Amino acid sequence: MFGSVNKRGGPNLQSYAATVEQILLNLGVDPVSARLHTEAGFGWSFQRGSAIIEVYVSHQDNTGYLQVLSPILHLPQTGLLALYRHLLELNLQLTNAALGVYLDVVYLFSERPLDGLDHVEANNIISLVANYADELDDRLMAEFGGRLYARI
């Protein structure tokens, strides 16, 4: 396991954040330039191919979480029923990740409590979401339309 517990019994987010930064470094991402300002803990954002990947180590209600997400696609104007069905079908094929929609954006995400998380699993989650996002964003856009999130 990585990380530790603070004096109040909650997770020590800083030790988890240090491990995530080492994972990012191993993936070829500069963790310092990738840092995000977040009030709930630590965050980073980087690009993998055509996808933006966000990683958060946060604390909520005495529980720490690793959250890895990627906003991959703005919804198209038409064909939403077919897209929604396809997203649900893809959810059955994904390992340790899921697709969802918030506002007008399709997200790929994975969330896991920090308790019992080791660096190997954290690395697998970050790498998995990054690879899925880079593969799915182009594929979904080609099939259903919309606009890649990473493109302005």
CSV table of all heavy atoms in Angstrom, one decimal, residues 72-77 80 83-84 100-107 146-147 149:
chain,number,residue,atom,x,y,z
A,72,ILE,N,-14.5,13.2,-22.8
A,72,ILE,CA,-14.0,12.8,-24.1
A,72,ILE,C,-14.7,13.3,-25.3
A,72,ILE,O,-14.2,13.5,-26.4
A,72,ILE,CB,-13.9,11.2,-24.3
A,72,ILE,CG1,-15.2,10.5,-24.0
A,72,ILE,CG2,-12.8,10.7,-23.3
A,72,ILE,CD1,-15.2,9.0,-24.3
A,73,LEU,N,-16.0,13.6,-25.1
A,73,LEU,CA,-16.8,14.0,-26.3
A,73,LEU,C,-18.0,14.9,-25.9
A,73,LEU,O,-18.7,14.6,-25.0
A,73,LEU,CB,-17.3,12.7,-27.0
A,73,LEU,CG,-18.1,12.8,-28.3
A,73,LEU,CD1,-17.2,13.2,-29.4
A,73,LEU,CD2,-18.9,11.5,-28.5
A,74,HIS,N,-18.2,16.0,-26.6
A,74,HIS,CA,-19.4,16.8,-26.5
A,74,HIS,C,-20.5,16.0,-27.3
A,74,HIS,O,-20.2,15.5,-28.4
A,74,HIS,CB,-19.2,18.2,-27.1
A,74,HIS,CG,-18.4,19.1,-26.3
A,74,HIS,ND1,-18.9,19.7,-25.2
A,74,HIS,CD2,-17.1,19.4,-26.4
A,74,HIS,CE1,-17.9,20.4,-24.6
A,74,HIS,NE2,-16.8,20.2,-25.3
A,75,LEU,N,-21.7,15.9,-26.7
A,75,LEU,CA,-22.7,15.2,-27.3
A,75,LEU,C,-23.1,15.7,-28.7
A,75,LEU,O,-23.1,16.9,-28.9
A,75,LEU,CB,-24.0,15.2,-26.5
A,75,LEU,CG,-23.9,14.4,-25.2
A,75,LEU,CD1,-25.2,14.7,-24.3
A,75,LEU,CD2,-23.7,12.9,-25.4
A,76,PRO,N,-23.4,14.8,-29.7
A,76,PRO,CA,-23.9,15.3,-31.0
A,76,PRO,C,-25.3,15.9,-30.9
A,76,PRO,O,-26.0,15.6,-29.9
A,76,PRO,CB,-23.8,14.1,-31.8
A,76,PRO,CG,-24.0,12.9,-30.9
A,76,PRO,CD,-23.3,13.4,-29.6
A,77,GLN,N,-25.7,16.6,-31.9
A,77,GLN,CA,-27.1,17.2,-31.9
A,77,GLN,C,-28.2,16.1,-32.2
A,77,GLN,O,-29.3,16.3,-31.8
A,77,GLN,CB,-27.2,18.3,-32.9
A,77,GLN,CG,-26.3,19.4,-32.6
A,77,GLN,CD,-26.7,20.2,-31.3
A,77,GLN,OE1,-27.8,20.5,-31.1
A,77,GLN,NE2,-25.7,20.5,-30.5
A,80,LEU,N,-28.9,10.6,-30.3
A,80,LEU,CA,-28.5,10.4,-28.9
A,80,LEU,C,-28.9,9.0,-28.4
A,80,LEU,O,-28.2,8.4,-27.7
A,80,LEU,CB,-29.1,11.5,-28.0
A,80,LEU,CG,-28.5,12.9,-28.2
A,80,LEU,CD1,-29.2,13.9,-27.3
A,80,LEU,CD2,-27.0,12.9,-27.9
A,83,LEU,N,-26.4,6.6,-29.4
A,83,LEU,CA,-25.2,6.8,-28.7
A,83,LEU,C,-25.3,6.3,-27.2
A,83,LEU,O,-24.4,5.6,-26.7
A,83,LEU,CB,-24.8,8.3,-28.7
A,83,LEU,CG,-23.6,8.7,-27.8
A,83,LEU,CD1,-22.3,8.0,-28.2
A,83,LEU,CD2,-23.4,10.2,-27.8
A,84,TYR,N,-26.4,6.6,-26.6
A,84,TYR,CA,-26.6,6.2,-25.2
A,84,TYR,C,-26.6,4.7,-25.1
A,84,TYR,O,-26.0,4.1,-24.2
A,84,TYR,CB,-27.9,6.7,-24.6
A,84,TYR,CG,-27.9,8.2,-24.4
A,84,TYR,CD1,-29.1,8.9,-24.4
A,84,TYR,CD2,-26.8,9.0,-24.2
A,84,TYR,CE1,-29.2,10.3,-24.2
A,84,TYR,CE2,-26.8,10.3,-24.1
A,84,TYR,CZ,-28.0,11.0,-24.1
A,84,TYR,OH,-28.0,12.4,-23.9
A,100,GLY,N,-20.1,7.8,-18.7
A,100,GLY,CA,-21.3,8.5,-18.2
A,100,GLY,C,-21.5,9.8,-19.0
A,100,GLY,O,-20.6,10.2,-19.7
A,101,VAL,N,-22.6,10.5,-18.8
A,101,VAL,CA,-22.8,11.8,-19.4
A,101,VAL,C,-23.1,12.8,-18.3
A,101,VAL,O,-24.0,12.5,-17.4
A,101,VAL,CB,-24.0,11.7,-20.4
A,101,VAL,CG1,-24.4,13.1,-20.9
A,101,VAL,CG2,-23.7,10.7,-21.5
A,102,TYR,N,-22.5,13.9,-18.3
A,102,TYR,CA,-22.8,15.0,-17.5
A,102,TYR,C,-22.9,16.3,-18.3
A,102,TYR,O,-22.0,16.6,-19.1
A,102,TYR,CB,-21.7,15.2,-16.4
A,102,TYR,CG,-22.0,16.3,-15.5
A,102,TYR,CD1,-23.0,16.2,-14.5
A,102,TYR,CD2,-21.2,17.5,-15.5
A,102,TYR,CE1,-23.2,17.3,-13.7
A,102,TYR,CE2,-21.5,18.6,-14.7
A,102,TYR,CZ,-22.5,18.5,-13.7
A,102,TYR,OH,-22.8,19.5,-12.9
A,103,LEU,N,-24.0,16.9,-18.2
A,103,LEU,CA,-24.4,18.1,-19.0
A,103,LEU,C,-24.3,17.6,-20.5
A,103,LEU,O,-25.1,16.7,-20.9
A,103,LEU,CB,-23.5,19.3,-18.7
A,103,LEU,CG,-23.6,19.8,-17.3
A,103,LEU,CD1,-22.7,21.0,-17.1
A,103,LEU,CD2,-25.1,20.3,-17.0
A,104,ASP,N,-23.5,18.2,-21.3
A,104,ASP,CA,-23.4,17.8,-22.7
A,104,ASP,C,-22.1,17.0,-23.0
A,104,ASP,O,-21.7,17.0,-24.2
A,104,ASP,CB,-23.6,19.0,-23.6
A,104,ASP,CG,-22.4,19.9,-23.7
A,104,ASP,OD1,-21.6,19.9,-22.7
A,104,ASP,OD2,-22.1,20.5,-24.8
A,105,VAL,N,-21.5,16.4,-22.0
A,105,VAL,CA,-20.2,15.8,-22.3
A,105,VAL,C,-20.2,14.3,-21.8
A,105,VAL,O,-20.7,14.0,-20.8
A,105,VAL,CB,-19.1,16.5,-21.5
A,105,VAL,CG1,-17.7,15.8,-21.6
A,105,VAL,CG2,-19.0,18.0,-21.9
A,106,VAL,N,-19.6,13.5,-22.7
A,106,VAL,CA,-19.4,12.1,-22.3
A,106,VAL,C,-18.1,12.0,-21.6
A,106,VAL,O,-17.1,12.5,-22.0
A,106,VAL,CB,-19.4,11.2,-23.6
A,106,VAL,CG1,-19.1,9.7,-23.2
A,106,VAL,CG2,-20.7,11.3,-24.4
A,107,TYR,N,-18.2,11.3,-20.4
A,107,TYR,CA,-17.0,11.1,-19.6
A,107,TYR,C,-16.7,9.6,-19.4
A,107,TYR,O,-17.6,8.8,-19.4
A,107,TYR,CB,-17.2,11.6,-18.1
A,107,TYR,CG,-17.2,13.1,-18.0
A,107,TYR,CD1,-18.3,13.9,-18.3
A,107,TYR,CD2,-16.0,13.7,-17.6
A,107,TYR,CE1,-18.3,15.3,-18.1
A,107,TYR,CE2,-16.0,15.1,-17.4
A,107,TYR,CZ,-17.1,15.9,-17.7
A,107,TYR,OH,-17.0,17.2,-17.5
A,146,GLY,N,-20.6,14.7,-32.9
A,146,GLY,CA,-20.2,15.4,-31.8
A,146,GLY,C,-18.9,16.1,-32.0
A,146,GLY,O,-18.4,16.2,-33.1
A,147,ARG,N,-18.2,16.4,-30.9
A,147,ARG,CA,-17.0,17.1,-31.0
A,147,ARG,C,-16.1,16.7,-29.9
A,147,ARG,O,-16.5,16.6,-28.7
A,147,ARG,CB,-17.2,18.7,-30.9
A,147,ARG,CG,-16.0,19.5,-31.0
A,147,ARG,CD,-16.3,21.0,-31.0
A,147,ARG,NE,-17.2,21.4,-30.0
A,147,ARG,CZ,-16.9,21.9,-28.8
A,147,ARG,NH1,-15.6,21.9,-28.5
A,147,ARG,NH2,-17.8,22.3,-28.0
A,149,TYR,N,-13.7,16.6,-26.9
A,149,TYR,CA,-13.7,17.6,-25.8
A,149,TYR,C,-12.3,18.3,-25.8
A,149,TYR,O,-12.3,19.5,-25.6
A,149,TYR,CB,-13.8,16.8,-24.4
A,149,TYR,CG,-13.8,17.8,-23.3
A,149,TYR,CD1,-15.0,18.3,-22.9
A,149,TYR,CD2,-12.7,18.2,-22.6
A,149,TYR,CE1,-15.1,19.2,-21.8
A,149,TYR,CE2,-12.7,19.1,-21.5
A,149,TYR,CZ,-14.0,19.6,-21.2
A,149,TYR,OH,-14.0,20.5,-20.1
